[in-house]
Amino acid sequence: MSSRSEILIVGGGVAGLALATRLGKTLGRQGKICITLVDKSFCHVWKPMLHCFAAGTVMNENDRISFMSQASGNHFEFWPGEVVSIDRAKREVTLSPFNASDGTPVLESRTLNYDAIVLAVGSCANDFGTPGVKENCLFIDNLVEANAFNEKFRMELLKAFAHTSNLDIAIVGGGATGTQLAAELHKSLEIVDPVSLHAFGKEPPKLSITLLQSGARILPAFPEAVSAAAQQELERIGVNVRTSARVAGADQTGFILKDGTHVPATLRVWAAGVKAPEVTRAYGGLSLNRSGQIQVKPNLCSVDDDRIFAMGDCSFIVDDPLPATAQVARQQAIHLAKHLPAWIEQGKEVPSCIFHNKGAIVALGNYNGWAALPGGRVLGGGFMRGLAARMGHIMLYRKHQVELYGWWRGLASIFADRIETFIRPQVRLD
């Protein structure tokens, strides 16, 4: 390898940005290795918060991390764009042309060389080829989509105010994203309630939310006790939870179920299933599973190419599949940050990455929350409405900020957020 090796990280999500930051602070600072991060957007957000951005209960302007700022402060480079092909023989990637928001060309197609490439392009919802879903449904897989949903939600809410009509929303997918989005949307309208009396001189419209889950229970990754308690809590606040409801299609008026039932909905959200982005199929013929995830060895190295690694939601460990969660992605990023330097500098093989399950948390807005800990223990619900679990969910997010910013900037960011809550509206109104 050359004296100045090139590590290319594709995707600035939880795993990608953490890896770029950690490697930049060590090898990048020393000038031994050039670390380059590539992402389609200019900023990072914590994906487990996307449902809050979509509902408008969190102002994402204050929760974005600029890739350019993060790169300049942590000794790595950043280039906007999407990797659309990988030439494994030449060890180079091709980036698609980059256009402004109005379509004006800004950067032409470019190529970047690499000695090692780490793919961390995340995942998206899987529509399983269901007719009408792509054309008639909204998704919240990234910040752009979350903002687009929030815009439509606010406009449909305004229309409902003006016409004194109800607003029907249907969400497909009873996993963490779908259940938490249902709760946050209800919370959003609850916050707007007193505002609407002054702004519009009338009560807010009735918000009808239907959560459709194809399986027998929501939150299937959690213990049955959590699923039952979460469904009870959602129904208590007015969400219509329908399990064993398989969606056969979608149109402009709602969803059609397998049994022929039509579920009317002005806004239709698809939050079911997980698959890798379609672009992974253009990555140099790498072996993929049926969901498009890149097949890797236990050490996160591609089964086809020792210079290509994949981590997070876009990867699939053939011998030991792991769930597509932020916890898994973070641990894999830490593992590669620890062992890639020796692989680059000394040719030492990266050891297997051992996942340590720390449990999982689901928080239904301010209403309730649960933590499923290893060993089957469950915390949450009860008299305190899952306060510890809800606070734990917030603390995970704050920990993520501190890890990227460092202690002082991270704490300053948290303090700034707290100050702004006294100034700005509690929910996005415009």
Side-chain angles (χ1 to χ4, degrees), residues 365-395:
N366 294 333
Y367 306 112
N368 219 324
W370 297 267
L373 304 178
R377 187 183 176 196
V378 174
L379 298 176
F383 173 71
M384 297 295 288
R385 292 288 180 191
L387 179 62
R390 289 186 284 120
M391 291 300 296
H393 189 268
I394 295 172
M395 291 307 296

Side-chain angles (χ1 to χ4, degrees), residues 47 122-128 271-276 291-293 313-314 324:
K47 192 170 182 178
S123 63
C124 57
N126 191 347
D127 65 11
F128 305 104
V274 174
K275 68 175 183 178
S291 297
Q293 294 169 304
D313 295 1
C314 73

Side-chain angles (χ1 to χ4, degrees), residues 51 179-180 183-184 361-366 368-370 389-390 393:
H51 64 282
T179 55
Q180 292 179 138
E184 287 295 330
I361 295 176
V362 60
L364 303 183
N366 294 333
N368 219 324
W370 297 267
R390 289 186 284 120
H393 189 268

Side-chain angles (χ1 to χ4, degrees), residues 57-112:
T57 51
V58 171
M59 306 300 179
N60 61 62
E61 290 82 359
N62 299 319
D63 293 276
R64 305 178 189 182
I65 296 177
S66 164
F67 288 134
M68 295 180 70
S69 174
Q70 189 73 4
S72 65
N74 291 279
H75 308 279
F76 65 89
E77 297 179 5
F78 166 70
W79 278 105
E82 181 178 23
V83 172
V84 292
S85 68
I86 298 176
D87 188 326
R88 290 160 51 195
K90 294 182 179 179
R91 275 190 267 157
E92 68 177 24
V93 302
T94 300
L95 274 61
S96 62
F98 186 81
N99 299 328
S101 57
D102 62 358
T104 304
V106 177
L107 297 174
E108 67 282 357
S109 178
R110 296 143 287 151
T111 59
L112 296 174

Side-chain angles (χ1 to χ4, degrees), residues 8-17 19 37-40 47 67 81-86 93 117-125 141-142 274-283 286 288 291-294 309-316 324 329 332:
L8 183 62
I9 302 169
V10 183
V14 169
L17 187 56
L19 178 60
L37 175 68
V38 175
D39 194 276
K40 292 189 294 184
K47 192 170 182 178
F67 288 134
E82 181 178 23
V83 172
V84 292
S85 68
I86 298 176
V93 302
I117 183 170
V118 182
L119 301 171
V121 293
S123 63
C124 57
D141 293 319
N142 52 56
V274 174
K275 68 175 183 178
E278 289 295 326
V279 73
T280 59
R281 303 186 186 281
Y283 285 168
L286 297 177
L288 310 174
S291 297
Q293 294 169 304
I294 300 158
F309 297 81
M311 60 180 180
D313 295 1
C314 73
S315 68
F316 179 83
Q332 290 177 341

